[in-house]
Amino acid sequence: MYDYLIVGAGLAGASFARCMADRGKTCLVLEKRNHLGGNIYSKQVEGIEVHQYGPHIFHTDQEQVWEFVNRFASFNHFVYSPVANYEGSLYNLPFNMNTFHELWGVNTPEEARGIIEKQRKESGIKVPGNLEEQAIMLAGNDIYEKLVKGYTEKQWGKPCKELPSFIITRLPLRFTFDNNYFNHPHQGIPIGGYTGMVERMLEGIQVRLGINYLEHREEYEAIAHRILYTGPIDEYFGYCFGELEYRSLRFETEVLEVDNYQGVAGMNYTDSQTPFTRIIEHKHFEFGAGNQEKTIITREYPAPWRKGDEPYYPINDKKNTDLYKRYERESQKQEQVIFAGRLGTYQYYDMDKVIASVLKLAERLG
């Protein structure tokens, strides 16, 4: 008998397994994929560490979380500073004085604030009824049209006028010349990749890859006192109340015979004509390390989700939130099972929030 059966070898499952093993508990980890790490899985291709399921930049302002991950990896000092490409014109992100200078030629915060406030007033919007109105009310028409609209409509597969305003609760406007996307004090990429970090988390813990827990549920339930389940909560219950909805992603990765393709790790394509939302150039996450004669890029295409596709972004509208609450109430009746992670709780988490929730859970369980 194991103390814990952990379903999923992603960040939530691996962190929990490490925490409980450190407390002297016996753990068995099951993973239906043939690799560790879940969506943070990375691997070497042509001497370059490639993020296989989209880019992951670790960032946090929580000291406990930072101390935890540094047990398993040394982090470089990568700072994410993406660039937006709108019909061939380039703009710095997040929205800051560099962006405002590129948009309007202004040089001072006062000039930038004046233009944004003028556009807000001209919109006449008092109470936003959709995402388009929310974005214009927050940042003005120019920023919305060039840097928000096309990207958001591609990401969600709907016109902004049909999207709820709560999707964009705020648009951070920085009136400094600062291209640092995350303002957390700790950020970076694990040197050698995320897979190595997860492997070190799971050292000394039994892991079985290529096992679909739901297809062998009775067998594995019988050998563990408790279960941490990080898969989709609706799938666990056989979709008895219906399917929770997600947006998915499709990736096209290409090896190029040049040393540097776009000069930045992430370039967002914010026009509506370009079918993908961004291009990631992986070698720039590690300061030009790796192959000096080739580079690898990944184009990221948002996609509708259907059962069997990889679920990336939960659609937290009222319909899906109400449906999740039904599953959540059902999950509370499961004395043996704990639901965790982004799929188990139907939430989109940054990596540090995943780990923080696991650390809190482990402390409570003792």
Side-chain angles (χ1 to χ4, degrees), residues 60-342:
T60 188
D61 58 358
Q62 300 183 62
E63 295 298 330
Q64 184 185 21
V65 170
W66 186 239
E67 290 173 8
F68 179 79
V69 294
N70 273 270
R71 290 174 54 191
F72 314 106
S74 296
F75 286 75
N76 64 21
H77 296 290
F78 175 79
V79 172
Y80 193 45
S81 302
V83 172
N85 185 320
Y86 178 76
E87 297 181 350
S89 296
L90 304 183
Y91 302 93
N92 288 104
L93 298 176
F95 310 136
N96 68 81
M97 283 302 300
N98 289 306
T99 323
F100 308 145
H101 178 77
E102 291 148 2
L103 279 168
W104 306 309
V106 299
N107 295 325
T108 68
E110 183 180 7
E111 291 174 297
R113 284 193 177 99
I115 291 175
I116 292 169
E117 188 57 34
K118 181 174 182 287
Q119 292 185 4
R120 286 169 173 165
K121 288 180 179 177
E122 288 175 347
S123 74
I125 299 166
K126 303 297 182 185
V127 179
N130 54 51
L131 187 148
E132 178 175 291
E133 293 178 352
Q134 174 78 354
I136 293 172
M137 193 175 79
L138 289 172
N141 194 67
D142 287 349
I143 290 174
Y144 168 70
E145 288 289 342
K146 291 187 176 183
L147 302 177
V148 176
K149 182 180 179 181
Y151 189 94
T152 303
E153 291 184 344
K154 288 186 289 189
Q155 186 177 32
W156 293 101
K158 287 184 179 181
C160 287
K161 290 181 178 179
E162 296 178 16
L163 291 167
S165 59
F166 70 77
I167 289 178
I168 295 182
T169 56
R170 64 186 183 90
L171 283 173
L173 302 175
R174 295 183 187 169
F175 295 93
T176 58
F177 290 88
D178 180 6
N179 299 327
N180 180 357
Y181 198 83
F182 304 111
N183 57 8
H184 286 159
H186 305 299
Q187 56 183 301
I189 306 289
I191 296 171
Y194 283 100
T195 303
M197 182 182 81
V198 174
E199 287 173 348
R200 286 184 284 276
M201 279 187 186
L202 292 170
E203 281 181 0
I205 298 169
Q206 289 192 52
V207 179
R208 299 180 188 176
L209 300 177
I211 301 292
N212 188 327
Y213 160 75
L214 295 177
E215 293 177 358
H216 307 276
R217 187 183 306 198
E218 290 185 9
E219 172 190 346
Y220 283 106
E221 282 179 349
I223 62 171
H225 294 294
R226 300 201 74 177
I227 298 167
L228 183 90
Y229 179 81
T230 67
I233 189 170
D234 54 349
E235 185 179 16
Y236 179 89
F237 291 107
Y239 306 102
C240 61
F241 302 128
E243 295 176 19
L244 291 165
E245 295 178 298
Y246 293 87
R247 288 289 287 171
S248 192
L249 294 171
R250 178 173 63 84
F251 302 104
E252 287 183 358
T253 298
E254 186 178 358
V255 179
L256 302 178
E257 302 290 331
V258 296
D259 70 326
N260 188 349
Y261 175 72
Q262 63 185 17
V264 67
M267 184 170 292
N268 294 0
Y269 285 76
T270 59
D271 61 274
S272 56
Q273 290 76 32
T274 305
F276 45 85
T277 50
R278 58 183 174 180
I279 293 178
I280 300 303
E281 188 167 5
H282 299 270
K283 72 189 313 180
H284 294 307
F285 290 122
E286 297 195 82
F287 306 115
N291 196 323
Q292 300 301 305
E293 298 178 356
K294 297 181 181 181
T295 193
I296 297 177
I297 63 170
T298 298
R299 295 179 182 88
E300 192 170 295
Y301 296 81
W305 177 85
R306 296 176 181 84
K307 192 189 298 184
D309 295 338
E310 182 63 31
Y312 282 92
Y313 303 109
I315 300 177
N316 296 120
D317 57 11
K318 185 178 187 306
K319 170 190 167 186
N320 285 284
T321 299
D322 290 345
L323 180 56
Y324 168 68
K325 286 178 180 176
R326 295 184 70 184
Y327 282 115
E328 184 182 33
R329 287 192 291 271
E330 196 67 21
S331 73
Q332 291 167 354
K333 302 174 186 176
Q334 307 293 309
E335 295 182 1
Q336 187 186 12
V337 185
I338 305 162
F339 293 82
R342 62 185 182 90

